[in-house]
Amino acid sequence: MLRNPSLRRRIVLPFIVLVLFIGLVGIAVVSAQVGGSVEGAADNSLVQNSLRTNDRLATLENDRLQQLRAAADTAGIATATERGDGATVGRLLGPIVGNAQPEHLVLRVLDTSGRELVALQRNGAAVEPVAGGAGYTGQAAVQHALAGARDSLGDKYLFLSNETPPMLYWVAPIWTGTQAPTVVGAVLLGESLPEIVQTIPGSSSNVVAFFDPFGQVLAGSLAGIPSLSPEVRRAVTPETPVRIATEWKTQPYRLLVNDWRMRGNSLGYFGVAAPATDLSSSLNAIRLVLVALFGAIALGTILIGLALADRITRPIDHLVASMATVSAGDYSHRVQVESSDEIGYLAQSFNAMTAALETQIQAREEAYFRNLEALARVIDARDPYTFEHSARVAAVSHELAEGMGLSAADLVVLRRAGLLHDIGKIGIADTILGKKGPLNDDEWAAIRRHPVIGYDMLKDVPFLRPSLDSIRHHHERWDGDGYPDNLKGTSISQLARIVTVADAFDAMTSDRPYRKSFSFEFAARALESEAGRQFDPAVVAAFMARKASIFARLEEMGKKPAPHASDIRLDDAA
């Protein structure tokens, strides 16, 4: 005989039905989301690999253009090429090939008729001639270079040869003369496409392939890559890559095909692919895990009782939210949980931990600042003529940044950059730093290395990374004639342009071994006269607007240079 269920059972039974219904719906929804996430992750991986490939091609082009300029501008190369003296050309360019990276770059020199004077390639430690060169005069890029033509990208060109293996060549004309320069030949710098593939990040774990305009494989990191179908090629545009599912050697892959363009030339297509796992099998496994997990949670929830769930989970939610706030960087946040049980104890422990962490971070930052100031004084102390120079550069940079409305974070970055902008002078000999009289060319070259030396010294210090750009580029010029990277205009960061003005002003108003200091007003007028050439006009305008405040700040720091009315070369501010 059946008995009426108890009140507890009447409450629990519909709850079980509801939990099961919600669980089934939840499993279906989560499975769909996980499936989408798996596919999204695969697509995201392809996009990231594609971006890395694009970045590598851009870096590759920049490196090759630098090497090409070095070869075309080598002293004596124009004269030897004009004479058709291949032996001299080979001797002059041998060191460039010998030091080239990667190892197997090919360098060729043609005269104006297209005749190859020399072709070199490094083989281990030796530079050897390249046998069996192909004719290149039919290439439009070579014709443009030999004609001295220029386009929007300059006088450098690029083409893809059909030799085996395919080679990517960058071409530059060889100019002679200064009054009426003429082209006397061309330099070709080539790298094989298979070697380029091997240098692309991720090519060992994923597949990278290059295709010609007809979809035929030129080079790839996996053998047996099939050609691209006409439908895929038609769908690819410079703005729109195409994702396809394919199979190579019985292995499924997801392939992202992009338009391949370099220096305005359409070379074909490149694709990145990743192995595709069996998504349906993964989803089935995930569903089983979800069912088991949900069953355990549902059973535990029913046995423990719904009445306790809200009381337990609500303070936990507060604690989790507080953890997220602290993880985001707000170490002053404290969790508010009014409870005397284990959760309350956990909240108290969490608050104590965050308070200790906040104290440690503040102490570490204060120690960083103290160490920065001490290091700046050590640097300046090596040169009595520039004692406290770095502190004054930091102070003037701070004044300029405030006048330009920069953020508090930028002020911190500028202070660090100002204090450490000359740290690279640690690597410069005292005999050069303290030399009385003009520096010779070698000494100037040594002095001009100090921004790079400082950058290399500090590049691995995490908290100084925002200041590294200003340290490296505080001697760049607005007109592009600065050093070490010959940056120009707004390609120089705003913070570096600020440090440049502050550094130049303090240098002009300081005694140097070869001259006396200049007055504040004279130095300010010198800055104004160089606005738009050496200095950013906006920074100079900010300087002039806050001139009185800057002068007062420097006087507070004990600087009172005597007036001096002679002329000045601003690059004396090195």
Side-chain angles (χ1 to χ4, degrees), residues 38-40 42-43 46 243-246 252-256 272-277 279:
V38 172
E39 292 185 351
D43 288 340
L46 288 177
R243 296 178 179 85
I244 59 175
T246 184
Y253 283 86
R254 297 172 70 85
L255 173 65
L256 183 66
V272 293
T277 57
L279 299 181

Side-chain angles (χ1 to χ4, degrees), residues 153-387:
L153 299 176
D155 61 354
K156 310 296 187 299
Y157 297 90
L158 174 146
F159 69 92
L160 181 66
S161 76
N162 57 1
E163 35 189 315
T164 303
M167 299 283 292
L168 197 57
Y169 279 98
W170 286 262
V171 189
I174 300 174
W175 297 90
T176 185
T178 55
Q179 298 299 324
T182 58
V183 177
V184 297
V187 178
L188 284 70
L189 188 66
E191 183 174 2
S192 74
L193 209 52
E195 188 170 58
I196 293 175
V197 168
Q198 298 305 316
T199 65
I200 293 175
S203 61
S204 58
S205 56
N206 297 293
V207 178
V208 177
F210 290 89
F211 306 84
D212 67 15
F214 304 100
Q216 300 299 314
V217 179
L218 295 172
S221 58
L222 180 71
I225 299 175
S227 303
L228 299 178
S229 67
E231 293 77 10
V232 171
R233 301 201 307 272
R234 283 193 295 268
V236 176
T237 68
E239 296 77 24
T240 308
V242 174
R243 296 178 179 85
I244 59 175
T246 184
E247 186 174 282
W248 302 337
K249 293 186 175 181
T250 70
Q251 172 70 34
Y253 283 86
R254 297 172 70 85
L255 173 65
L256 183 66
V257 183
N258 296 263
D259 183 64
W260 180 21
R261 287 179 177 270
M262 297 182 72
R263 294 192 73 76
N265 298 319
S266 178
L267 302 179
Y269 310 89
F270 74 87
V272 293
T277 57
D278 189 349
L279 299 181
S280 60
S281 298
S282 299
L283 282 176
N284 289 335
I286 292 171
R287 289 191 186 99
L288 290 175
V289 172
L290 289 174
V291 168
L293 181 62
F294 174 77
I297 293 174
L299 179 61
T301 302
I302 294 170
L303 294 176
I304 294 173
L306 296 177
L308 299 177
D310 184 68
R311 182 180 177 184
I312 294 174
T313 57
R314 185 169 296 174
I316 291 178
D317 289 340
H318 292 320
L319 184 58
V320 171
S322 296
M323 288 179 177
T325 301
V326 173
S327 297
D330 184 5
Y331 299 104
S332 63
H333 180 78
R334 301 294 182 266
V335 62
Q336 301 296 327
V337 176
E338 297 179 359
S339 176
S340 58
D341 56 12
E342 291 83 357
I343 296 176
Y345 176 75
L346 183 60
Q348 294 174 6
S349 300
F350 176 81
N351 287 338
M353 178 190 69
T354 54
L357 185 60
E358 182 182 17
T359 301
Q360 291 175 3
I361 290 175
Q362 291 175 348
R364 185 179 65 181
E365 290 180 349
E366 292 172 0
Y368 282 159
F369 279 115
R370 289 196 298 270
N371 290 338
L372 286 175
E373 294 178 359
L375 188 55
R377 291 191 179 95
V378 169
I379 297 167
D380 290 343
R382 296 184 67 219
D383 185 352
Y385 293 95
T386 60
F387 183 68

Side-chain angles (χ1 to χ4, degrees), residues 74-197:
T74 297
I77 193 68
T79 302
T81 303
E82 189 175 24
R83 294 198 311 263
D85 186 354
T88 300
V89 171
R91 178 177 56 80
L92 292 174
L93 297 182
I96 293 179
V97 178
N99 296 320
Q101 293 295 334
E103 182 175 333
H104 299 101
L105 286 181
V106 175
L107 191 146
R108 303 178 185 275
V109 177
L110 310 180
D111 63 15
T112 52
S113 67
R115 181 173 62 93
E116 188 173 88
L117 298 179
V118 68
L120 301 174
Q121 182 180 35
R122 179 155 60 100
N123 184 9
V127 176
E128 300 177 351
V130 179
Y136 301 99
T137 54
Q139 296 288 345
V142 176
Q143 295 172 2
H144 290 326
L146 291 175
R150 296 178 182 270
D151 59 18
S152 60
L153 299 176
D155 61 354
K156 310 296 187 299
Y157 297 90
L158 174 146
F159 69 92
L160 181 66
S161 76
N162 57 1
E163 35 189 315
T164 303
M167 299 283 292
L168 197 57
Y169 279 98
W170 286 262
V171 189
I174 300 174
W175 297 90
T176 185
T178 55
Q179 298 299 324
T182 58
V183 177
V184 297
V187 178
L188 284 70
L189 188 66
E191 183 174 2
S192 74
L193 209 52
E195 188 170 58
I196 293 175
V197 168

